[in-house]
Amino acid sequence: MCVKFTLPEISDYMDCNLSDVNSLTLNDRVYRDLYHYITTQPLDIGTRLDLRELETLFNVSRTPLKNALTRLENEGLVEVQPRRGTFIANMTQSNLEEAYKIRSAFELYVALCLFKYLTDSDFAFFDQIHREMNQLARVGRDDWLAVIHQYLQLDRQLHERIIAVGGTPRMLQLFQQTHVHTHLSRISAIFHPSDFDAMHFEHEQLFAALEERSPERLSATLLNHLEASRIRTLKRLSECN
């Protein structure tokens, strides 16, 4: 059963553990807060956002709010309709299928040539991501909803690093434009605990393949992870429609 997107108590949202926002520009802070706010709410496609209410909720003027919404529109989170307003963007199974096909094509290609480009700093980066994922997974055994968004951010960093190192800037740009990780954040509220466990197990296999420095094993584990992620995501989305 899906719960409709609402504008909940702002105090609940502001208690979230975000990085230090003091170092961010106003535009960046509003974008980050609004992104987190929308993606951590129960999914409800097509909800119209009241800009005046958002101004009050986030204590900002219209200009930084509209700048943030423009960035969110480019990421596929919201849709701005002239003379009608700003809405939570639609997310269809066909769009997700296409996104996963693009993602798989890039990552499986990169996996076969990745290791000749990796440096010590890249392996150090993977080790750090691995440690942080394990820490979140330990917390997630008792309350996975408390850590799922942090976990998905690490997931995004991991896969983007793989594309950035083994691919080209254009491939990374197209990969980011699939918005797969944004979509995952949007529906994570309707994941099951078993989804989180399966996701972490698949990442453990990826890190093992990276440590082994085996292109064949990395390609196989990536294929399993991406296909399993596609099936999980589409299943939860279909349950919500």
Side-chain angles (χ1 to χ4, degrees):
M1 177 179 179
C2 295
V3 182
K4 287 186 176 295
F5 177 95
T6 58
L7 295 175
E9 295 296 328
I10 190 64
S11 59
D12 294 338
Y13 166 71
M14 296 306 291
D15 286 338
C16 293
N17 183 24
L18 299 177
S19 298
D20 183 13
V21 297
N22 293 327
S23 62
L24 300 177
T25 67
L26 177 60
N27 284 336
D28 287 340
R29 179 180 64 80
V30 176
Y31 159 77
R32 182 188 181 114
D33 290 354
L34 190 55
Y35 177 95
H36 191 278
Y37 182 63
I38 292 175
T39 57
T40 54
Q41 302 311 308
L43 181 67
D44 186 21
I45 300 300
T47 297
R48 186 178 186 276
L49 299 176
D50 186 322
L51 300 193
R52 289 184 179 179
E53 188 170 2
L54 291 175
E55 286 174 346
T56 301
L57 285 170
F58 292 101
N59 192 28
V60 295
S61 64
R62 183 62 56 94
T63 298
L65 179 62
K66 293 190 74 171
N67 289 339
L69 289 170
T70 297
R71 292 174 66 177
L72 294 174
E73 183 180 26
N74 292 334
E75 294 187 5
L77 248 185
V78 301
E79 180 182 356
V80 179
Q81 300 180 14
R83 296 182 297 278
R84 291 197 61 219
T86 302
F87 301 83
I88 301 297
N90 191 20
M91 180 171 56
T92 65
Q93 290 193 348
S94 61
N95 288 340
L96 272 175
E97 286 276 14
E98 180 181 45
Y100 269 102
K101 286 179 180 178
I102 295 172
R103 180 182 178 183
S104 298
F106 285 164
E107 292 199 58
L108 294 178
Y109 166 80
V110 166
L112 296 176
C113 58
L114 177 68
F115 290 100
K116 65 181 179 181
Y117 299 116
L118 289 175
T119 65
D120 290 342
S121 64
D122 294 316
F123 283 107
F125 176 85
F126 294 143
D127 287 342
Q128 180 64 29
I129 293 287
H130 191 189
R131 286 195 295 271
E132 292 182 23
M133 280 187 166
N134 278 334
Q135 291 172 358
L136 292 175
R138 285 193 288 272
V139 175
R141 291 171 188 155
D142 298 318
D143 187 6
W144 66 273
L145 280 171
V147 301
I148 183 62
H149 286 278
Q150 292 171 274
Y151 193 95
L152 288 174
Q153 284 298 317
L154 294 174
D155 180 32
R156 181 173 189 163
Q157 292 173 36
L158 169 64
H159 289 277
E160 287 187 351
R161 185 67 166 246
I162 290 173
I163 296 291
V165 174
T168 66
R170 178 61 174 159
M171 288 174 65
L172 178 60
Q173 182 184 38
L174 291 172
F175 174 83
Q176 292 169 334
Q177 290 173 353
T178 65
H179 309 310
V180 169
H181 285 90
T182 298
H183 296 325
L184 286 173
S185 292
R186 292 174 68 182
I187 69 169
S188 61
I190 56 173
F191 279 0
H192 291 185
S194 59
D195 296 330
F196 182 80
D197 292 339
M199 189 189 312
H200 187 62
F201 174 79
E202 292 156 18
H203 281 117
E204 287 289 280
Q205 302 307 303
L206 287 179
F207 288 119
L210 286 168
E211 183 177 1
E212 188 178 314
R213 307 194 183 197
S214 167
E216 295 77 14
R217 183 176 180 184
L218 180 61
S219 181
T221 54
L222 270 172
L223 177 61
N224 177 68
H225 171 51
L226 294 173
E227 181 63 9
S229 179
R230 182 187 69 83
I231 292 171
R232 278 194 302 269
T233 304
L234 291 173
K235 181 179 180 181
R236 300 309 172 209
L237 183 61
S238 67
E239 291 172 352
C240 197
N241 291 334

